[in-house]
Amino acid sequence: MSTAAARIADLLEDVPTASNPPGPHPAPAPDPAAEEPPRADGPVLVVTVVWGDLAQVPADLHVTGHYQSVAPAAAELALDAAISAGPRRTITEHTKLGWIGAQLGEVTYFPCKDGGPVRTAAVVGMGPMGTLTERRAHQMYASLLGEAVALGHVGTMATVLIGSGTGNLTVNQAARALVGGFAGILASAGPTQPTQPTPTVTQPTSAPAPRLTDVFVVEVDRLRAEQLHLALTRAAAKLPRLRIGPELREESGGRLFAPSAAVYALTALTGLARSEGAAAHDGSPGGTDPPDSPDPSDALHTVLAGFAPDIRREIREQLAHLAEVARTDLSLTVGRAMDDPEASGPGSGSVPVRMSVQSGIGGLRWAALTGRATVPERLVPVDMDLLRELVERLTEPTVEDAIELPDLLSRFVVPPDFQRLVTDDATVLLELDRDTASVPWEFLAGSRQAGGEQRDPLAIRTRLSRQLRTPYSRVMTEGLSDGPLRALVIGDPGDPEKGFQLPGARTEALAVATRLRDLGAKVTLFVGAANSTRQPGVDPARRLDVLRVLLCGGNHIVHYCGHSDFDPTGTGRRSGWVFADGLLTAQELALLERPPRIVVANACYTARLGGATGPGTPGTPGKPGAQPGAADQSPWGNPQAALVPSLADEFLRMGVGHYIGAAWRIPDDQGVSFAEEFYTHLLTGGAGGSGGSGGSEDAPPTVGDAVRAARKRLYEQRATGQRPPDTAPNGQRWSAWAAYQHYGDAADPFDRPDPSDRPGGS
């Protein structure tokens, strides 16, 4: 591209995207108004492009887009902050609880705090991430305008260019979708009736014109606002009922991001170069502009004034040469600036990468959403038999498999363009269904060149957490913010007469209770069944007593060490923790008004309840000596792999914020190491820990940071040097770090309920 001929439009986003690839014969933009002769006597809607902050633009209704199950970011997050009265943001909390359906075009309304700049707020559904195309966006905009018109009391609406925020659509594509959707609704309203004398006979009249007269499309970045105004003006040029404001309107809150500033600077530089070149050809002395010629370089005068005259003259000469070059080695990619790092959690430094992996017929359905782009949903063919075998071998793997198979997992299951995402050191959130949750994604390492150096796994390099896609809405609960930090610790509650005694679980429970007390928590401890060897000074773990403390104790943290199992007598795939007197499931906790914030469970699958026969130590499913139970119904053929997702599903349903569980048996000392590092990092920001980065004074540590620090500690404790013998215990020790799965938001900060209760506090 000739630098002298560079234009802002050439340097921005007027290019096809993955979800809207160019075709040999591009289809024209949809124009519903073309279906009938244009009528100028109907309702007219004025669309004004505003440079500013959406929440600061006065309007009767403020609207942003919302992807299914995706936490607010960018404009939606700003709107969320504007309408929320307390620290718990309204739209964010509704998203976590699954209360926003976000079907395409579905509008959800939210209450707003009194006295705020926003009176009425709503989000319009964009469907699952990765599925928004220009045609679907057209339908979404039509639904949005139809809803706003139907309200009857909305005269002005402020929104953003929905669909272009993360690169799913270009500005031009999203602008065409907006114009097409709005025009269709306006065309269906029919013409208004002219004023006439009162008729002597009753005559039918058309539907009244909508009260909505103005829509403000707000853009926070100045250059994108200019581009948006141009795109809307072109798209609506032949639509008499849809008028685009002739000028860009400025409101407070507008910004100029670095990429846009670079484009403005480049434009000014090329203008200056053209001016210098023209002056040189005219023979002007010194290569300066003619006195009567307008100087296009006003934006650079302040900067250039700081240089000595000789240097300033040299700069001008170089710019003149640049203007004469037909092509240049300069490669400039301009896109929307990254969202505020605060949007992805304290101290994160980057916008999270959100990947959706769902099971489908013949393969896996992938989609992704990052701070800069949306990767559209696609079906990736995968041989499910091979995938089942891979899951089997990576569930409590041997040392050899733990070393060799993670790279295969990244190459065999993850599409190439998604592999580039997982190699980026940004927080990763995996949205999974009950089937794909059985895959040990913690082993993802990112693809590498053949013979290249092996990188640390993704779960060690950054925060990685999971979210289950479920059809239900979670329970809305009152937060636990009062009083001291309280924790419930349960160890080895199984019946020893049935072979469920676990001495290592007792050791872990006692060590965890001691560490939590040292960190300032008030701990309730239950260890062993009533008919087992009693721990001096510690109450036995009976289901009824544990349930009493759970329902009445208001515990922030619950830590469980013992056996878990599926309940084959119930409908579906209910699961829970094994006690000597039965299975404790989330069903028993349904009346819990304030569930724990965090549940940590080092719970191995028993394969013994509900019809399994034979005494002795429970076998490992899928391994030699395993004893299959009646609940062995996992689609991957390994109930152990499905245990943690099943337990997480049960507890998250009742309102638990985070569930952290081990997907296979962990050596006793490593279970203690993980727990101690996790709680140390969580409650002190990493002080005294051996892994992870320390917390800052102004931001509490996140749950994801604590999980990563604990994983890293186990990862660094693996056998080094010569590989140990390939036995089951050593295999567990080598891969224990990957067994821990975190269900919840990795960027969720953990605020202690009583900061003064810290060790050494007042």
Side-chain angles (χ1 to χ4, degrees):
M1 172 176 60
S2 172
T3 306
R7 296 180 303 149
I8 291 177
D10 297 327
L11 299 172
L12 280 175
E13 301 164 345
D14 192 14
V15 293
T17 64
S19 60
N20 293 270
H25 303 287
D31 184 6
E35 298 177 359
E36 57 179 312
R39 295 194 302 251
D41 57 347
V44 175
L45 183 68
V46 178
V47 176
T48 303
V49 178
V50 179
W51 176 45
D53 181 1
L54 174 66
Q56 300 183 45
V57 176
D60 298 328
L61 174 65
H62 289 71
V63 185
T64 64
H66 184 86
Y67 282 115
Q68 286 181 358
S69 304
V70 176
E76 186 183 10
L77 185 60
L79 182 63
D80 196 8
I83 69 174
S84 303
R88 296 179 63 176
R89 292 175 173 171
T90 304
I91 302 177
T92 301
E93 288 298 317
H94 279 63
T95 303
K96 291 180 179 179
L97 294 168
W99 288 359
I100 306 177
Q103 298 293 331
L104 186 69
E106 178 185 10
V107 180
T108 305
Y109 297 90
F110 297 94
C112 303
K113 64 182 180 183
D114 295 336
V118 179
R119 296 193 295 268
T120 304
V123 297
V124 58
M126 303 167 67
M129 62 181 185
T131 63
L132 189 69
T133 62
E134 182 175 343
R135 185 172 298 278
R136 286 173 59 84
H138 175 281
Q139 300 170 358
M140 176 194 68
Y141 276 114
S143 178
L144 173 60
L145 186 64
E147 178 88 3
V149 169
L151 290 175
H153 64 277
V154 174
T156 57
M157 178 174 69
T159 185
V160 293
L161 189 63
I162 301 171
S164 67
T166 52
N168 194 50
L169 301 176
T170 67
V171 170
N172 284 335
Q173 289 170 333
R176 289 196 299 264
L178 182 149
V179 168
F182 281 11
I185 296 299
L186 295 173
S188 64
T192 55
Q193 297 295 323
T195 303
Q196 295 180 350
T198 303
T200 56
V201 180
T202 303
Q203 298 179 352
T205 59
S206 301
R211 184 172 183 268
L212 181 64
T213 59
D214 289 274
V215 172
F216 307 122
V217 184
V218 186
E219 172 56 52
V220 69
D221 180 57
R222 177 57 186 252
L223 186 54
R224 277 177 57 91
E226 296 280 7
Q227 184 193 15
L228 171 58
H229 183 264
L230 178 63
L232 289 175
T233 301
R234 290 173 176 172
K238 298 180 180 180
L239 300 176
R241 293 189 181 180
L242 188 64
R243 299 177 184 172
I244 309 301
E247 296 181 354
L248 190 69
R249 172 176 151 186
E250 295 185 11
E251 290 284 350
S252 59
R255 298 170 63 186
L256 183 65
F257 293 122
S260 298
V263 173
Y264 277 122
L266 183 60
T267 303
L269 287 170
T270 54
L272 175 61
R274 288 194 300 270
S275 176
E276 294 294 337
H281 287 299
D282 291 342
S284 300
T288 59
D289 297 337
D292 57 347
S293 174
D295 187 1
S297 61
D298 290 339
L300 299 179
H301 277 171
T302 302
V303 176
L304 294 177
F307 292 98
D310 292 343
I311 298 177
R312 191 163 57 242
R313 183 165 50 254
E314 183 177 351
I315 292 175
R316 291 179 178 273
E317 290 175 358
Q318 293 300 323
L319 288 175
H321 293 319
L322 180 65
E324 296 175 354
V325 177
R327 302 190 67 84
T328 175
D329 293 333
L330 177 64
S331 176
L332 180 64
T333 300
V334 179
R336 191 174 64 86
M338 272 288 214
D339 294 325
D340 189 346
E342 293 295 326
S344 57
S348 65
S350 62
V351 176
V353 173
R354 187 184 187 96
M355 291 190 290
S356 172
V357 191
Q358 312 295 325
S359 56
I361 300 176
L364 301 178
R365 289 184 291 110
W366 286 79
L369 182 66
T370 73
R372 292 186 180 274
T374 299
V375 183
E377 186 177 82
R378 86 283 301 274
L379 180 67
V380 178
V382 174
D383 187 315
M384 304 308 285
D385 290 334
L386 287 175
L387 181 56
R388 291 185 183 95
E389 182 179 354
L390 184 59
V391 170
E392 172 69 25
R393 290 178 58 178
L394 281 175
T395 301
E396 194 170 316
T398 64
V399 174
E400 190 73 22
D401 285 346
I403 295 174
E404 301 296 340
L405 291 183
D407 190 52
L408 175 62
L409 175 68
S410 300
R411 293 177 180 273
F412 173 59
V413 179
V414 184
D417 48 347
F418 287 80
Q419 293 176 21
R420 290 190 291 271
L421 298 178
V422 300
T423 57
D424 190 7
D425 292 336
T427 299
V428 176
L429 176 60
L430 298 172
E431 182 184 282
L432 310 168
D433 57 26
R434 288 286 292 269
D435 293 341
T436 56
S438 298
V439 179
W441 299 106
E442 287 69 23
F443 275 117
L444 283 178
S447 61
R448 61 187 172 103
Q449 298 294 330
E453 183 180 354
Q454 177 70 55
R455 299 186 67 189
D456 287 340
L458 185 66
I460 301 300
R461 303 199 312 266
T462 189
R463 302 179 299 190
L464 184 145
S465 63
R466 299 163 167 236
Q467 179 178 337
L468 281 173
R469 175 176 287 188
T470 55
Y472 57 79
S473 295
R474 296 176 185 171
V475 176
M476 183 65 172
T477 59
E478 182 182 354
L480 290 162
S481 58
D482 57 325
L485 178 68
R486 293 179 293 273
L488 169 63
V489 180
I490 309 160
D492 190 26
D495 189 348
E497 296 180 0
K498 297 179 181 179
F500 293 131
Q501 194 166 16
L502 292 172
R506 291 189 174 217
T507 302
E508 179 179 338
L510 293 171
V512 167
T514 299
R515 187 63 183 135
L516 286 172
R517 290 191 180 109
D518 292 342
L519 293 169
K522 182 178 180 180
V523 178
T524 302
L525 176 63
F526 294 106
V527 173
N531 61 339
S532 67
T533 303
R534 298 289 298 275
Q535 196 73 31
V538 179
D539 292 332
R542 300 185 181 93
R543 268 201 315 166
L544 188 62
D545 292 333
V546 170
L547 185 61
R548 171 183 58 82
V549 175
L550 280 170
L551 293 179
C552 307
N555 295 280
H556 304 82
I557 296 171
V558 173
H559 190 103
Y560 174 85
C561 323
H563 284 297
S564 293
D565 202 357
F566 293 92
D567 179 6
T569 63
T571 58
R573 289 192 283 185
R574 291 180 59 245
S575 54
W577 295 337
V578 175
F579 285 73
D581 53 345
L583 197 65
L584 181 66
T585 72
Q587 176 176 302
E588 285 73 48
L589 306 177
L591 298 179
L592 191 59
E593 294 182 357
R594 298 195 298 176
R597 177 82 175 277
I598 297 174
V599 172
V600 180
N602 190 357
C604 59
Y605 177 56
T606 69
R608 294 283 310 286
L609 297 180
T613 60
T617 304
T620 304
K623 308 290 183 182
Q627 299 188 31
D632 190 357
Q633 302 297 326
S634 168
W636 308 101
N638 192 328
Q640 177 70 48
L643 175 62
V644 177
S646 179
L647 288 167
D649 201 14
E650 294 282 354
F651 284 93
L652 294 175
R653 182 184 309 194
M654 75 174 189
V656 170
H658 301 267
Y659 188 93
I660 300 160
W664 54 82
R665 295 176 299 172
I666 302 299
D668 297 339
D669 62 324
Q670 291 202 325
V672 173
S673 294
F674 181 92
E676 288 183 341
E677 181 66 23
F678 172 76
Y679 291 122
T680 297
H681 196 103
L682 185 71
L683 301 179
T684 67
S690 62
S693 57
S696 61
E697 293 294 332
D698 57 348
T702 69
V703 181
D705 284 330
V707 172
R708 173 178 174 264
R711 285 175 178 154
K712 187 175 181 180
R713 181 174 182 179
L714 298 190
Y715 185 76
E716 293 172 346
Q717 288 178 351
R718 299 172 306 155
T720 57
Q722 186 176 2
R723 295 181 184 177
D726 194 5
T727 60
N730 283 315
Q732 295 166 12
R733 179 171 299 280
W734 189 272
S735 60
W737 64 270
Y740 285 96
Q741 299 176 359
H742 173 206
Y743 289 86
D745 184 359
D748 188 17
F750 185 83
D751 293 294
R752 290 180 64 111
D754 185 5
S756 65
D757 198 40
R758 291 177 181 268
S762 58

